[in-house]
Amino acid sequence: MKVLVTGGAGYVGSVGVHELVKADHNVVVVDNLSQGHRDAVREDAAFVKGNLLDAEFVDAVFDEHTPDAVMHFASKSLVGESMEKPFLYLGDNVRAGLNVMRAAANHGTKRFILSSTANLFGDPAEIPIDENEEIAPGSPYGESKFILERNLHWLDTLDVLRFASLRYFNAAGAASPDLGEDHDPETHLIPIVLEVALGQRDKIEIYGDNYDTRDGTCIRDYVHVQDLAQAHILALEALDDQSRVYNLGNGNGYSVQEVIETARSVTGAEIPSEIGSPRPGDPPELVARSDKIRTELGWSPDYPELEDIIASAWAWHQKHPDGYEE
Ligand code: UFG
């Protein structure tokens, strides 16, 4: 298939591109490089730089490439930032997504895969979280993804296209020592912990140890970025018949303390830590029940162990201590 990948220079998107090309799909990446890196896009994928908020630009890309499918990774994706700057999310995230959907609809592109999020569930009643859990977005970020899911629901109902929404839990790890996570500023736990291991930071601040969890620190479900990418390939191929919504995690929860301990054992570094204040908006525990995608699409993570996830990230950080160096 010819697949247009928005945000294909970003952390998860670039790994999606890698897996698509390996699976013999023809890939066109669209990215404005505001968060992504040109060097993260493999050379055998076409690359177009531009802004998805510009509807004419988006139409022109579809005119030129007439894709069979879209993978829409491009997004602002920080819960905390969305609480401070809601219109970047309720405005820009939604408008960019709608521009891509409108162009897909106008050009007969029948398959659409959306990167969605566990933040759709806010602070859920049941752990692990399945697809029947009540939607109650925890932030404008989660809300922006829910709005896009609802738009896709209507395009499906009106027979315009079929969609898959993949609700990621915590994307982590590196696809190879040359294809990893590089955010600026970095806010995510695993890369920050590894920056401490490298001596680039003095310590890791643990955001609160008074949560109602086994050691008082927050529990998350870390899923390897390559396993996420594989789920996209499976979803793309399964969109012949019906639209699909899946929660995507390993089903194992690890506390912040456990992540730091595992990183100490993987890296052999001391990794000093300090307890700080809770970060507003962090729910105590988010762990996925991913039985649905396992049963329906045969998805099975190749890297379910936290140790392997952190080891892959460590290989990337050691080889590229300053990330992509454009
Ligand atoms: N944490 C710390 N110290 C840090 C950074 C993070 O203690 O310096 C803690 C956080 O409080 C949280 C855990 O580590 O409990 C994981 O935090 P991340 O920032 O790595 O990830 P989040 O769980 O906050 O968010 C991620 C994605 C979101 C997505 C969410 C869904 O970044 O886009 O998962 O679960 F919405």
Side-chain angles (χ1 to χ4, degrees):
M1 272 181 258
K2 186 168 224 185
V3 187
L4 190 141
V5 182
T6 73
Y11 170 43
V12 186
S14 61
V15 182
V17 169
H18 195 73
E19 293 300 309
L20 280 166
V21 173
K22 273 188 1 201
D24 277 338
H25 295 290
N26 190 340
V27 178
V28 181
V29 171
V30 182
D31 201 300
N32 65 359
L33 299 182
S34 67
Q35 303 170 90
H37 307 276
R38 182 65 184 88
D39 286 352
V41 182
R42 35 188 301 159
E43 280 175 8
D44 42 8
F47 180 82
V48 187
K49 185 175 175 191
N51 192 335
L52 299 178
L53 292 172
D54 178 350
E56 281 180 21
F57 162 75
V58 178
D59 262 333
V61 173
F62 274 76
D63 278 343
E64 186 178 344
H65 295 283
T66 54
D68 305 300
V70 174
M71 289 191 184
H72 182 50
F73 292 95
S75 180
K76 297 275 178 194
S77 59
L78 296 176
V79 171
E81 180 185 60
S82 81
M83 301 293 260
E84 283 162 23
K85 299 179 180 168
F87 293 108
L88 274 185
Y89 289 78
L90 299 170
D92 292 7
N93 261 10
V94 171
R95 273 201 298 276
L98 288 180
N99 285 343
V100 179
M101 282 178 213
R102 193 188 300 112
N106 289 341
H107 290 80
T109 303
K110 295 285 179 208
R111 294 167 197 245
F112 196 112
I113 300 188
L114 175 71
S115 301
S116 187
T117 173
N119 194 255
L120 247 49
F121 305 110
D123 187 1
E126 284 268 326
I127 302 284
I129 306 164
D130 71 16
E131 290 79 2
N132 298 320
E133 176 68 34
E134 185 193 350
I135 304 283
S139 68
Y141 166 56
E143 189 73 45
S144 73
K145 295 292 188 177
F146 186 50
I147 292 169
L148 294 179
E149 278 195 14
R150 291 302 298 168
N151 278 282
L152 287 168
H153 159 79
W154 280 108
L155 295 182
D156 172 68
T157 303
L158 300 171
D159 236 2
V160 173
L161 50 72
R162 301 283 170 254
F163 77 94
S165 178
L166 302 179
R167 296 152 169 182
Y168 312 162
F169 282 61
N170 288 59
S176 81
D178 295 313
L179 191 57
E181 185 167 12
D182 178 8
H183 296 112
D184 185 19
E186 189 51 79
T187 63
H188 296 95
L189 179 63
I190 290 176
I192 292 180
V193 166
L194 296 178
E195 287 171 12
V196 179
L198 279 175
Q200 295 173 326
R201 297 180 188 240
D202 296 341
K203 57 178 185 285
I204 172 76
E205 181 181 349
I206 298 172
Y207 296 149
D209 68 347
N210 215 3
Y211 288 92
D212 184 14
T213 59
R214 51 185 174 261
D215 63 18
T217 66
C218 289
I219 293 177
R220 294 289 180 273
D221 181 337
Y222 297 88
V223 53
H224 197 286
V225 65
Q226 197 154 332
D227 289 326
L228 287 181
Q230 275 305 328
H232 287 73
I233 308 278
L234 293 171
L236 175 69
E237 287 162 2
L239 279 185
D240 286 328
D241 50 351
Q242 62 179 81
S243 293
R244 294 154 185 280
V245 172
Y246 296 117
N247 290 0
L248 210 47
N250 274 321
N252 297 315
Y254 293 94
S255 73
V256 175
Q257 289 281 23
E258 288 163 351
V259 169
I260 297 169
E261 274 309 321
T262 306
R264 286 179 179 136
S265 112
V266 166
T267 63
E270 187 192 345
I271 313 186
S273 66
E274 179 180 282
I275 306 297
S277 314
R279 185 169 64 177
D282 275 347
E285 183 165 3
L286 290 172
V287 177
R289 183 186 289 285
S290 297
D291 297 15
K292 190 172 169 224
I293 189 166
R294 288 171 189 264
T295 310
E296 292 186 4
L297 302 189
W299 181 70
S300 167
D302 287 330
Y303 306 97
E305 301 298 329
L306 182 63
E307 203 168 359
D308 296 334
I309 293 174
I310 292 181
S312 71
W314 180 230
W316 151 258
H317 280 274
Q318 281 181 298
K319 188 160 177 201
H320 298 275
D322 300 315
Y324 296 99
E325 288 181 56
E326 311 99 316

